[in-house]
Amino acid sequence: LILGDFAVRANWLVPEVLVYIAFVAIANFAQPSFELGYAFKLMRVLLLILSAIFSIWGFIGGIIIMLVLIATTEPLAVHYLYPLYPFNWKAMKHLLFRQPINRDNT
């Protein structure tokens, strides 16, 4: 917090950038795959470079590249977007609607 306040007062960053950075930092903890976390970090750099060079079209192209890479990469025989791609309703239902744990299983 102190470093963020210093960066804003020194006009290095605007407060909105600090919110984006905080969101990304918290989102990194929510990813189940260690490799996917590093892949997202690399993709953010690619997205930043494409956005700087080609403006909005670079951003849109970078998002499309990210989605295609995430959808087609198969690290351990299961895609990163498994319940969505390839679509499996039973697995998706299990993710969206959690069942209580059986008392005999505790």
Side-chain angles (χ1 to χ4, degrees):
L1 291 173
I2 294 171
L3 290 175
D5 184 47
F6 176 74
V8 169
R9 288 185 186 196
N11 291 329
W12 289 348
L13 299 173
V14 293
E16 291 84 9
V17 172
L18 291 177
V19 173
Y20 301 148
I21 292 171
F23 175 76
V24 167
I26 292 172
N28 281 333
F29 290 111
Q31 295 174 8
S33 175
F34 192 68
E35 302 93 16
L36 185 61
Y38 278 119
F40 279 152
K41 288 178 186 178
L42 182 63
M43 288 296 166
R44 280 196 302 265
V45 171
L46 176 68
L47 188 63
L48 181 66
I49 292 170
L50 286 175
S51 297
I53 294 173
F54 299 113
S55 186
I56 189 70
W57 295 110
F59 179 75
I60 293 170
I63 294 292
I64 291 170
I65 290 170
M66 285 176 67
L67 290 174
V68 167
L69 284 175
I70 291 170
T72 58
T73 302
E74 189 174 336
L76 295 172
V78 177
H79 291 279
Y80 286 123
L81 300 176
Y82 165 61
L84 291 174
Y85 175 77
F87 187 73
N88 183 348
W89 172 245
K90 188 174 182 180
M92 180 65 86
K93 186 172 74 171
H94 183 68
L95 283 175
L96 294 176
F97 306 108
R98 298 289 182 169
Q99 298 294 323
I101 298 174
N102 189 356
R103 290 184 182 215
D104 297 332
N105 196 20
T106 58

